[in-house]
Amino acid sequence: MVLTAHDVDRFEASRPRLEAIAYRLLGSASEAEDAVQDTFLRWQTADVERIEVPEAWLTKVLTNLCLNQLTSARARRETYVGHWLPEPLLAGDPMLGPADTAEQRESLSYAVMAVLERLSPGERAVYVLREAFGYPHREIAEILGLTEATSQQTFHRAKKRVADGRARAEISEAAARRVIDEFLAAATSGRTEPLVRLLTQDAIAIGDGGGKVPARARAFEGALAVATFMRGLFKPNKAKRALIGGSPALHAATANGGPALVAVLDGRIVGVMCLEITPEGIAAFRNQVNPDKLVRATRRWAATDHGEPLLDAF
C-alpha cells in the first residue's frame, strides 16, 4: 500500500513520542531510531484507513518491537565486554521526551535508566508507559496483551524494584554545580582525603568502554576505592594522552536531566561522566566512554553553545 502525504504526516507527528518511548525502553538512541523506523515500515504496509486511533496502534507496534529487542539484547549483553550502561543524551535532545513532572524527570535520569536494566522486558515496558508517559493501565494492558490487573501489579512491582535500586533524595541544580566544582578541585589536588569527604560511604564508580576503550571490568565500590580511582583518573600523564589522542577539555553539562562532566577532544565527545549527587554526597559516577554510544551526544554538542571548559588539561 502506498501512503499518502497525510498518512506520512500522521506518522511524523507521532515520531518524537515514539522515539522517546523507545529510548527509555532500550537505553540506546541508535536502537530507538531503528525501532521507530521498523514501526514506520509496518505503518506503510498497514491498512491505515481502518486504524481509528493511529497513536494507539503505533505505540502498540513500537512497544512490542522494543520488547523483542530487549529479549535479544539480554543475550547480547551477557557477552558484552565490561559493564553495559545506557547511551547518555545531552540537554535539549528531543529523544529525552517529556520532563514536565517529577515522575517523568525521574524516569529519564541516568541512574534510573541504569536501574531499568534489572527489570524484565515486561516490567520495563509497563513502568515506562505508566511512569514516563502516563498511559492508563487499561491502555497498557491492551498494548501488551495483559489484563488491567496484571498491568497494575507489574507496575507496582517494577516501581518498587526501581526505588530499591535508587532510593535517594535529589538536590537542586545550583547545589549540584557547587558539588561538581568541589569535586574537580579535589580530584585535581592529587590527594585522596578531599575526595573521600565528598562521597557517600557506599559510593560507586562504573565505566562502559564496550571493549573499545579501557574500562575496569568491575565497579569501584566504597568511598576510599572510588576516591583513589578518581585521583588517578584526573592525574595527567603521557600514556593517558596517547590513549585518548590528546588532552580533552572538561565541561559541566546536563545529561538525562542530571549533572554530568563531558570530556571533549577536537570537537568530539570522548566521555560523559554522569554524577548521582545526593544531600549526603556523590553516590555514583557512571562513565560512558564507548565511542559508539557518544555519536549522538557529539552531534548535539556541535549544535549547541557550551561555554568555556571547567578544566582544559584533563
Side-chain angles (χ1 to χ4, degrees):
M1 178 177 178
V2 178
L3 293 182
T4 66
H6 175 64
D7 295 330
V8 174
D9 288 344
R10 285 200 293 175
F11 179 86
E12 292 302 323
S14 293
R15 183 183 290 275
R17 180 181 53 83
L18 295 175
E19 287 189 343
I21 292 173
Y23 170 69
R24 281 175 166 87
L25 286 175
L26 299 173
S28 164
S30 59
E31 291 180 4
E33 289 173 341
D34 290 344
V36 172
Q37 186 59 28
D38 286 345
T39 303
F40 178 69
L41 294 177
R42 282 157 176 75
W43 176 250
Q44 280 185 309
T45 58
D47 187 356
V48 297
E49 294 303 320
R50 298 176 65 110
I51 298 174
E52 295 183 3
V53 186
E55 177 181 321
W57 187 91
L58 291 169
T59 302
K60 183 172 183 175
V61 170
L62 173 83
T63 302
N64 283 283
L65 284 170
C66 288
L67 284 174
N68 292 337
Q69 178 77 357
L70 279 172
T71 301
S72 62
R74 287 200 157 201
R76 291 199 311 274
R77 288 171 193 173
E78 288 179 1
T79 60
Y80 191 82
V81 179
H83 288 275
W84 190 98
L85 289 175
E87 180 176 345
L89 297 183
L90 300 182
D93 192 312
M95 194 174 280
L96 288 168
D100 301 322
T101 67
E103 291 79 12
Q104 289 171 340
R105 290 190 294 274
E106 176 82 355
S107 71
L108 67 83
S109 76
Y110 203 67
V112 165
M113 291 286 290
V115 172
L116 290 181
E117 289 295 311
R118 305 177 191 174
L119 303 183
S120 71
E123 288 173 336
R124 185 165 184 167
V126 171
Y127 179 86
V128 166
L129 291 173
R130 178 62 180 164
E131 191 79 347
F133 294 90
Y135 280 86
H137 285 291
R138 175 180 52 80
E139 291 185 27
I140 296 173
E142 170 62 25
I143 289 170
L144 298 177
L146 308 171
T147 66
E148 189 170 344
T150 299
S151 176
Q152 292 172 335
Q153 292 166 2
T154 302
F155 174 70
H156 290 306
R157 184 170 64 248
K159 190 167 185 177
K160 182 179 185 305
R161 292 185 66 186
V162 171
D164 289 345
R166 187 181 176 277
R168 304 235 185 222
E170 295 298 320
I171 66 172
S172 69
E173 184 176 342
R177 178 55 191 270
R178 287 195 298 272
V179 172
I180 286 179
D181 290 339
E182 292 174 2
F183 165 71
L184 280 180
T188 55
S189 71
R191 297 166 55 223
T192 303
E193 295 80 7
L195 280 166
V196 170
R197 289 196 294 270
L198 292 174
L199 308 178
T200 61
Q201 286 302 305
D202 60 349
I204 62 168
I206 307 171
D208 178 351
K212 300 185 177 183
V213 174
R216 179 181 161 93
R218 296 176 58 189
F220 291 92
E221 299 181 358
L224 182 57
V226 172
T228 302
F229 166 66
M230 288 296 167
R231 185 190 63 189
L233 180 65
F234 282 83
K235 183 178 180 180
N237 60 61
K238 291 182 180 180
K240 192 181 303 180
R241 288 192 292 270
L243 178 66
I244 300 174
S247 182
L250 268 188
H251 293 258
T254 300
N256 291 71
L261 287 169
V262 176
V264 183
L265 180 64
D266 298 329
R268 176 175 57 90
I269 292 180
V270 295
V272 176
M273 177 185 287
C274 296
L275 287 75
E276 185 177 355
I277 302 177
T278 74
E280 293 76 36
I282 305 174
F285 300 88
R286 296 180 176 90
N287 310 316
Q288 185 55 261
V289 292
N290 183 343
D292 294 343
K293 297 182 183 181
L294 297 173
V295 174
R296 186 180 179 98
T298 293
R299 289 202 304 266
R300 180 72 191 170
W301 187 262
T304 57
D305 179 20
H306 34 73
E308 294 298 316
L310 297 178
L311 190 65
D312 57 9
F314 174 42

